[in-house]
Amino acid sequence: MKNNGGNAKVDKAEINRPNWDLVKQALEGKKPLSTLSKDYPN
């Protein structure tokens, strides 16, 4: 409904998948866990 003058839009679905090679290296202790976060530089 647009009774209040608004509008709605559905954006394209975004799929985020981890880099499994980096996950494995972090779990094996070869890379720091911070490499898995976008909050820290890699």
Side-chain angles (χ1 to χ4, degrees), residues 18-37:
N19 179 330
W20 292 110
D21 187 48
L22 282 178
V23 172
K24 181 180 178 187
Q25 289 177 24
L27 290 172
E28 292 173 343
K30 296 177 183 175
K31 295 251 184 191
L33 290 175
S34 61
T35 54
L36 303 178
S37 175

